[in-house]
Amino acid sequence: MASYYAVAERDHDLQNPTSPEKIRQLGELLRLGPERRVLDVACGMGGPAMLLAATFGCRILGVERSPEFVAWGRERIEAAGLRDRIEIVEGDARAYPLESEAWDAALCLGATFVFDDLDGTLDALVPTVRHGGTVAVGEPYWREWPLRRDVDDMGYVPMGETIERIERHGLALTGLIAASVDDWDRYESLHWRALEEYLAEHDDPEIRARHEHDRDAYLRWQRELMGWAIFVGRRR
């Protein structure tokens, strides 16, 4: 049986509600260049890494536990002629040896669940960058607070509290790149198309149930209430 995200995100160049222009903006905020070394945990198929390496010439190490994403990412990197700039290691980022102060920048875009939550992610990533280096985390936040009773907060908080958590880990906020509704709609629509095409050819009740649940939740309340942004912080 195919994994849900291997089906849902097969057509995504970027596996988050963002855009190529915003990823390039991230590279500018990180002050990337040919001498910069970047760690990208839970890098997926390497979409942001490819944009950053191609635009700024930086060297990137990605860590990804999904074998499908690793295989597809390596194929894409090879086809783009970026093999000398990007390496993807297959494995769980929690188990990967994260060397202290070894990186100019560390990224975790939309995958703080790998380290349980935002605090766990910052605990893991802040020590990996040199002093004056940067950490960038893509994270949902709530546009309204408190939430309606029928909406699970899923451990996320409003933007202001998200920034407070980041600053408590020794980072000075130096950038914010928020997703637009168009970014969200494009990201979710690619899910729906891929899943409907898959389900037209496969009898997979589990994937159908999750697809319909996630689509309905997005339309019913997530589109209105949930934001997503890349938060960039400089290690003090």
Side-chain angles (χ1 to χ4, degrees):
M1 182 180 294
S3 66
Y4 180 80
Y5 281 107
V7 174
E9 299 196 343
R10 68 183 189 189
D11 296 332
H12 285 67
D13 289 327
L14 298 173
Q15 295 170 270
N16 288 296
T18 189
S19 68
E21 294 76 18
K22 290 179 179 179
I23 296 299
R24 294 188 187 98
Q25 181 185 353
L26 171 63
E28 292 171 358
L29 287 171
L30 297 174
R31 296 194 183 278
L32 296 184
E35 304 306 316
R36 299 292 188 179
R37 299 178 68 243
V38 180
L39 174 67
D40 186 1
V41 299
C43 67
M45 292 183 281
M50 291 175 63
L51 281 168
L52 295 174
T55 304
F56 301 97
C58 54
R59 297 185 181 276
I60 302 177
L61 174 68
V63 183
E64 173 56 47
R65 67 188 181 188
S66 164
E68 296 98 336
F69 291 161
V70 170
W72 296 340
R74 288 172 177 169
E75 288 176 7
R76 285 155 40 107
I77 289 163
E78 180 73 28
L82 293 170
R83 188 174 61 175
D84 64 330
R85 293 285 167 183
I86 306 170
E87 177 187 1
I88 298 181
V89 174
E90 183 177 344
D92 190 334
R94 292 183 72 118
Y96 190 80
L98 299 176
E99 185 179 350
S100 178
E101 299 187 19
W103 305 91
D104 297 297
L107 317 179
C108 182
L109 303 182
T112 58
F113 57 82
V114 171
F115 298 99
D116 295 330
D117 55 21
L118 177 60
D119 286 317
T121 299
L122 295 169
D123 285 340
L125 294 190
V126 171
T128 70
V129 301
R130 60 177 175 77
H131 288 274
T134 46
V135 174
V137 179
E139 180 79 346
Y141 63 90
W142 294 111
R143 299 180 186 278
E144 295 183 11
W145 195 263
L147 294 173
R148 303 191 307 242
R149 291 187 195 178
D150 61 330
V151 177
D152 179 4
D153 68 23
M154 298 184 286
Y156 303 127
V157 294
M159 178 182 282
E161 188 172 337
T162 301
I163 293 170
E164 289 176 5
R165 291 183 181 185
I166 290 168
E167 292 180 331
R168 283 201 298 267
H169 284 79
L171 297 173
L173 188 73
T174 56
L176 173 69
I177 306 172
S180 67
V181 174
D182 286 345
D183 292 330
W184 268 115
D185 286 348
R186 180 172 56 251
Y187 172 68
E188 293 294 339
S189 295
L190 287 173
H191 285 159
W192 303 339
R193 184 184 68 179
L195 288 161
E196 287 294 341
E197 289 175 351
Y198 172 83
L199 290 167
E201 298 180 359
H202 301 84
D203 181 17
D204 195 326
E206 291 185 16
I207 284 186
R208 178 171 292 283
R210 181 167 180 180
H211 162 46
E212 293 179 353
H213 172 274
D214 289 357
R215 181 192 58 203
D216 293 347
Y218 178 73
L219 295 171
R220 184 162 47 86
W221 56 263
Q222 182 178 322
R223 190 175 188 269
E224 174 189 359
L225 299 176
M226 180 176 278
W228 190 89
I230 301 172
F231 300 88
V232 181
R234 185 179 190 271
R235 185 178 180 186
R236 294 189 175 98

Coordinates of all heavy atoms in Angstrom, one line a residue, residues 12 19 24 37 69 74 76-77 80 144 156 164 169 186:
H12 N 4.2 17.9 -6.1 CA 4.7 19.1 -5.4 C 6.2 19.3 -5.7 O 7.0 18.5 -5.4 CB 4.5 19.0 -3.9 CG 3.1 19.2 -3.5 ND1 2.1 18.2 -3.7 CD2 2.5 20.1 -2.7 CE1 1.0 18.6 -3.2 NE2 1.2 19.8 -2.6
S19 N 6.2 29.5 -2.1 CA 6.4 29.6 -3.6 C 7.9 29.7 -3.8 O 8.7 30.0 -2.9 CB 5.7 30.9 -4.1 OG 6.4 32.0 -3.5
R24 N 13.4 31.8 -2.5 CA 14.6 32.7 -2.8 C 14.7 33.8 -1.9 O 15.8 34.2 -1.5 CB 14.4 33.2 -4.3 CG 14.5 32.1 -5.3 CD 14.6 32.6 -6.7 NE 14.5 31.5 -7.7 CZ 13.4 31.1 -8.3 NH1 12.2 31.8 -8.1 NH2 13.4 30.1 -9.2
R37 N 27.3 26.7 4.2 CA 26.9 25.3 4.4 C 25.6 25.3 5.1 O 25.4 25.9 6.2 CB 28.0 24.5 5.2 CG 29.3 24.5 4.5 CD 30.3 23.7 5.4 NE 30.0 22.3 5.5 CZ 29.7 21.7 6.6 NH1 29.6 22.3 7.7 NH2 29.4 20.4 6.6
F69 N 10.6 9.8 -1.0 CA 11.1 11.2 -1.2 C 12.6 11.3 -1.4 O 13.1 12.1 -2.2 CB 10.7 12.1 0.0 CG 9.2 12.3 0.2 CD1 8.7 12.7 1.4 CD2 8.4 12.2 -0.9 CE1 7.4 13.0 1.5 CE2 7.0 12.4 -0.8 CZ 6.5 12.8 0.5
R74 N 16.8 12.6 -5.1 CA 18.1 12.4 -5.7 C 18.0 12.4 -7.2 O 18.9 12.9 -7.9 CB 18.6 11.0 -5.2 CG 19.1 11.1 -3.8 CD 19.5 9.7 -3.3 NE 20.0 9.7 -1.9 CZ 20.2 8.6 -1.2 NH1 19.9 7.4 -1.6 NH2 20.7 8.8 0.1
R76 N 15.8 14.2 -9.0 CA 15.6 15.6 -9.4 C 16.9 16.3 -9.3 O 17.2 17.2 -10.2 CB 14.5 16.2 -8.5 CG 13.1 15.8 -8.8 CD 12.2 15.9 -7.6 NE 12.3 17.0 -6.8 CZ 11.5 18.1 -6.8 NH1 10.4 18.1 -7.6 NH2 11.7 19.1 -5.9
I77 N 17.7 16.1 -8.3 CA 19.0 16.8 -8.1 C 19.9 16.4 -9.2 O 20.6 17.3 -9.8 CB 19.5 16.4 -6.7 CG1 18.7 17.1 -5.6 CG2 21.0 16.8 -6.6 CD1 18.9 16.6 -4.2
A80 N 18.9 18.1 -12.4 CA 19.2 19.5 -12.4 C 20.7 19.9 -12.4 O 21.0 21.1 -12.4 CB 18.5 20.2 -11.2
E144 N -6.5 33.3 14.6 CA -7.5 33.8 15.7 C -7.2 33.0 16.9 O -6.8 31.8 16.9 CB -8.9 33.5 15.2 CG -9.3 34.4 14.0 CD -10.8 34.2 13.6 OE1 -11.5 33.5 14.4 OE2 -11.2 34.6 12.6
Y156 N -0.3 24.0 18.1 CA 0.2 25.2 17.5 C -0.4 26.4 18.3 O -1.4 26.3 19.0 CB -0.2 25.3 16.0 CG 0.3 24.2 15.2 CD1 -0.6 23.5 14.4 CD2 1.6 23.9 15.2 CE1 -0.1 22.4 13.6 CE2 2.1 22.8 14.4 CZ 1.3 22.1 13.7 OH 1.7 21.1 12.9
E164 N 7.8 34.2 20.4 CA 8.3 34.2 21.7 C 9.1 32.9 22.0 O 10.1 32.9 22.6 CB 7.2 34.4 22.8 CG 6.6 35.8 22.8 CD 5.4 35.9 23.7 OE1 5.1 34.8 24.4 OE2 4.8 36.9 23.8
H169 N 14.8 30.5 22.7 CA 15.9 29.6 22.3 C 17.2 30.3 21.9 O 18.0 29.7 21.2 CB 15.4 28.6 21.3 CG 14.5 27.5 21.8 ND1 13.2 27.8 22.1 CD2 14.8 26.2 22.2 CE1 12.6 26.7 22.6 NE2 13.6 25.7 22.7
R186 N -3.0 26.5 -3.6 CA -2.1 25.8 -4.6 C -1.6 24.5 -3.9 O -1.7 23.4 -4.6 CB -1.0 26.7 -5.1 CG -0.1 26.0 -6.1 CD 0.9 27.0 -6.7 NE 1.7 27.7 -5.7 CZ 1.6 28.9 -5.3 NH1 0.7 29.7 -5.9 NH2 2.3 29.5 -4.4

